[in-house]
Amino acid sequence: MKIDIDTSVCIGSGQCALTAPGVFTQDDEGFSALLPGREDGAGDPLVREAARACPVQAISVTES
């Protein structure tokens, strides 16, 4: 799985980090970021739900 965050679109709502806290976090400026070592989703079943929860569709998930 490949997770991309479009940082130019992200508004820092935090829905991704709330939905899949084992994969997503927020950086020092409050924008979405992937936790180190979790760039592939780490098998977390909530990654796709986190992408859907993003109010501005800044997260895309594709199979690698």
Side-chain angles (χ1 to χ4, degrees):
M1 170 180 313
K2 183 173 181 343
I3 304 167
D4 288 307
I5 302 170
D6 187 341
T7 55
S8 68
V9 175
C10 180
I11 60 170
S13 74
Q15 293 303 305
C16 57
L18 290 171
T19 304
V23 176
F24 296 95
T25 189
Q26 289 180 284
D27 65 17
D28 292 339
E29 296 172 0
F31 295 106
S32 180
L34 293 167
L35 289 168
R38 304 298 177 145
E39 293 82 5
D40 64 354
D44 191 320
L46 295 174
V47 170
R48 291 188 188 284
E49 183 59 34
R52 282 190 289 271
C54 180
V56 293
Q57 307 299 296
I59 300 168
S60 63
V61 179
T62 55
E63 293 301 323
S64 51

